[in-house]
């Protein structure tokens, strides 16, 4: 299910990659804050996602090497794109939905920023899975799928309220149907398999763990106190669920003192 890991990359240019990751995540935080205070927050969505993707690839390159990081990102993004295209054409696996023209450019109806988001958070969720399940296998795939789907507890309510996409039939969770989360678990599992084939059983990438944690904290604060109107339900659901993955990932990735 995953490739035998190669030699851990510590040469090349890890420090520049790490610096780019830190710069990107700080810029992303600034844009998220500005977006939360803007009367039209959708205007910064594309910038935030590009910074998210840049940050993810940079932190992955710092641990896995640039070539492997780029290939893993591409695998996650293409898996997400295929799922989105299938969803638009058939309604499977997420349910019937459609994108507005607010997210542009689009490729065959799928916004490019959505594809970049799959790639960026796919890498972050895989890093969480590596830390939580160092032994790999099906358990790691399930952990990564859960970590990535947990993020959608924030993503879908936020994008629906901004008019980025609409569901043909409203569901129980802020208008999002249950089929969407079942689809996310399936596609996220495929993303974990695809990334795992390339990244292998690498050491925990703490930069990617930090990215996952930053997204959890920022979305929780946004829904709890910044967005208008606030939504404590989404803040709690997303924050607790993402936190349930982030906390053990940090605990197990930290060097144990003798």
């Amino acid at each position: 299910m995953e490739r035998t890991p190669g030699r851990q990359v510590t040469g090349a240019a890890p420090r520049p990659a790490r610096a780019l990751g830190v710069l990107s995540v700080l810029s992303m935080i600034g844009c998220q804050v500005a977006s939360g205070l803007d009367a039209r927050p959708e205007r910064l969505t594309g910038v935030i996602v590009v910074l998210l993707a840049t940050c993810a690839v940079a932190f992955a390159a710092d641990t896995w090497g640039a070539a492997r990081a780029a290939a893993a990102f591409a695998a996650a993004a293409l898996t997400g794109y295929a799922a989105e295209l299938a969803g638009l054409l058939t309604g499977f696996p997420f349910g019937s939905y459609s994108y507005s023209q607010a997210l542009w450019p689009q490729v065959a109806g799928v916004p490019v920023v959505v594809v970049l988001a799959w790639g960026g958070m796919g890498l972050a969720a895989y890093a969480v899975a590596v830390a939580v399940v160092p032994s790999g296998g099906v358990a790691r795939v399930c952990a990564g799928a859960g970590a990535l789907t947990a993020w959608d507890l924030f993503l879908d309510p936020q994008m629906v309220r901004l008019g980025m996409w609409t569901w043909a039939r409203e569901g129980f969770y802020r208008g999002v149907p249950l089929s969407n989360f079942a689809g996310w678990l399936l596609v996220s599992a495929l993303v974990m398999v695809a990334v795992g084939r390339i990244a292998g059983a690498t050491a925990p990438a703490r930069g990617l763990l930090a990215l996952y944690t930053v997204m959890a904290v920022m979305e929780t604060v946004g829904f709890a106190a910044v967005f208008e109107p606030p939504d404590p339900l989404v803040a709690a659901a997303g924050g607790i669920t993402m936190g349930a993955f982030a906390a053990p990932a940090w605990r197990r990735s930290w060097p144990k003192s003798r």
Side-chain angles (χ1 to χ4, degrees):
M1 190 164 280
E2 63 185 12
R3 201 171 64 182
T4 301
R7 181 177 60 87
Q8 185 68 23
V9 178
T10 57
R15 293 187 183 277
R18 189 180 307 167
L20 176 59
V22 171
L23 178 62
S24 298
V25 78
L26 291 176
S27 299
M28 185 185 70
I29 292 171
C31 287
Q32 286 180 317
V33 171
S35 173
L37 300 175
D38 197 320
R40 293 181 57 197
E42 70 277 4
R43 293 185 295 188
L44 289 173
T45 299
V47 176
I48 291 170
V49 174
V50 169
L51 289 169
L52 163 66
T54 302
C55 174
V57 174
F59 281 139
D62 183 50
T63 303
W64 307 341
R68 189 178 292 185
F73 176 84
L78 289 174
T79 301
Y81 174 76
E84 294 286 348
L85 184 59
L88 290 176
L89 295 176
T90 69
F92 178 84
F94 307 108
S96 182
Y97 65 102
S98 60
Y99 285 105
S100 70
Q101 295 300 308
L103 295 176
W104 193 262
Q106 299 182 357
V107 178
V110 179
V112 172
V113 294
V114 170
V115 179
L116 295 178
W118 274 106
M121 285 303 290
L123 296 188
Y126 182 76
V128 170
V130 169
V132 173
V133 188
S135 59
V138 175
R140 176 182 290 176
V141 171
C142 292
L148 189 49
T149 302
W151 177 53
D152 194 51
L153 293 173
F154 286 127
L155 179 66
D156 248 279
Q158 183 178 7
M159 295 299 105
V160 167
R161 71 155 61 187
L162 292 177
M164 301 297 188
W165 58 76
T166 56
W167 291 96
R169 293 184 179 179
E170 289 195 359
F172 77 103
Y173 181 70
R174 294 300 186 254
V176 183
L178 181 61
S179 61
N180 171 69
F181 300 107
W184 264 77
L185 283 170
L186 172 61
V187 177
S188 296
L190 296 176
V191 169
M192 294 304 108
V193 172
V195 174
R197 294 290 293 178
I198 297 168
T202 58
R206 294 195 187 92
L208 289 173
L209 294 184
L211 173 60
Y212 187 88
T213 305
V214 164
M215 294 300 293
V217 171
M218 292 297 295
E219 294 284 8
T220 300
V221 172
F223 274 101
V226 179
F227 300 156
E228 282 296 334
D231 195 330
L233 171 64
V234 174
I240 291 172
T241 308
M242 289 189 75
F245 288 98
W250 279 110
R251 186 174 66 251
R252 297 182 184 186
S253 69
W254 210 255
K256 294 180 174 62
S257 59
R258 293 184 178 182

